Amino acid sequence: AIAMAGGAKFIRVNQWANAYVANEGFMEGRAAEAMPYRSMLRAEHIKVFADSHVKHGSHAIVADRTIEELTRDLAFFDADGVIATGQRTGNAATIEEIEEIGSATHLPLLVGSGVNRDNIVEILKRTNGVIVASSLKQGGVWWNPVDIERVKAFRAAAEPGLEH
């Protein structure tokens, strides 16, 4: 509803399917409730980008399921895109994990954590896009203001990857 009211084109959901224990406590995916609600709002045009392997969470609850299975669950619950993340804000997903998640889905793949000027080209070779925050902020800290010089350096470093 907030995305609809604000004119957003997508939302990011770190907990779309499955259940995890996270910093906030026990977290359950709410896709089964959210999709009918999106339909009721006539907001199907608002895309859902969902994290595959939830950061800031313990994966013990789903430890008997592979990352590939967790990723396939996102498509089953009608996500429009899949996000690979690291273990915490600002930590990158490994190239191996990005490839593992990417091979498990037909959905667009993004990396939503730990993207910086040193890894952007390799990440863009394997994905459809990135979500960047911390590496563009003063001191590399997500809550700080944007550092224009970091943005320029990131953009310059990303240039070769944008051709793909």
Side-chain angles (χ1 to χ4, degrees), residues 111 114-121 123-124 129-137 147-162:
V111 172
V115 180
N116 59 53
R117 66 183 186 197
D118 297 326
N119 62 16
I120 183 62
V121 172
I123 288 173
L124 286 176
V130 296
I131 299 169
V132 186
S134 300
S135 68
L136 304 181
K137 302 294 189 83
D147 181 329
I148 297 303
E149 293 307 313
R150 282 177 173 256
V151 172
K152 290 177 184 176
F154 179 83
R155 177 67 172 96
E159 191 70 34
L162 296 175

Side-chain angles (χ1 to χ4, degrees), residues 2 14 16 18 26 29 37 41 51 60 74-75 81 89-90 99 110-111 122 146 150-151 157 163:
I2 292 169
N14 79 320
W16 188 243
N18 299 301
F26 184 74
Y37 184 67
L41 294 174
D51 288 17
L74 300 177
T89 300
E99 290 174 345
L110 300 100
V111 172
E122 288 305 309
V146 172
R150 282 177 173 256
V151 172
E163 297 170 5

